[in-house]
Amino acid sequence: MRFCLLISFFIFSATAFAEEGFKNESEAGIVVNNGNSKSQSYNLKQTNHYGWDANEMKFQALYLNVSSLGITSAENWTFSLRYDRVLNPAWILFVAETASGDRFAGINQKYASDIGAKYLILKDEGFSWSAEGGYRYSEEHRTDRTIHSQ
């Protein structure tokens, strides 16, 4: 078992940390093509945020399925739960757990546990820039029935 250092830099806009109350985003996409070749694509996404005091919980679920002429060529899914605790206007601590799978990448199930901190470099109305660093432990249950831990 090894711990990997995970450092990510994100540039994103309109992020709200520890806003009071519940927020929800839902997305569904269906693409069906007929003609010389028939193909179908299904994409589902659900994100829920709940903030109270200086805390925020975030749940996210994703699913993708792509097939052509009745043969599936892509199928993956992800579920994640993340807790953020605002320490001051610049520093946020987080802990997260993620479960995912992608059978065409050879992953039946993958579990990832994260812990770390986020630093807000710049936050304006409508724009945020932050840096995030932490540790990730992951364990993969592969479709060939082997288990990989890092």
Side-chain angles (χ1 to χ4, degrees), residues 106-126:
I107 301 169
N108 191 34
Q109 294 174 327
K110 180 179 180 178
Y111 302 101
S113 302
D114 302 322
I115 188 167
K118 179 184 280 191
Y119 179 74
L120 293 174
I121 297 167
L122 176 65
K123 185 171 182 176
D124 278 337
E125 190 175 322

Side-chain angles (χ1 to χ4, degrees), residues 54-128:
N55 305 289
E56 183 179 63
M57 290 290 289
K58 179 181 177 182
F59 169 77
Q60 190 169 34
L62 308 163
Y63 177 74
L64 172 69
N65 182 297
V66 178
S67 62
S68 179
L69 299 172
I71 299 170
T72 303
S73 59
E75 184 175 42
N76 57 57
W77 55 271
T78 301
F79 295 100
S80 66
L81 184 63
R82 178 175 166 139
Y83 170 73
D84 286 358
R85 172 69 180 177
V86 177
L87 299 178
N88 60 45
W91 286 99
I92 299 167
L93 296 179
F94 69 86
V95 62
E97 185 66 31
T98 304
S100 61
D102 187 342
R103 70 180 174 132
F104 290 96
I107 301 169
N108 191 34
Q109 294 174 327
K110 180 179 180 178
Y111 302 101
S113 302
D114 302 322
I115 188 167
K118 179 184 280 191
Y119 179 74
L120 293 174
I121 297 167
L122 176 65
K123 185 171 182 176
D124 278 337
E125 190 175 322
F127 180 79
S128 291

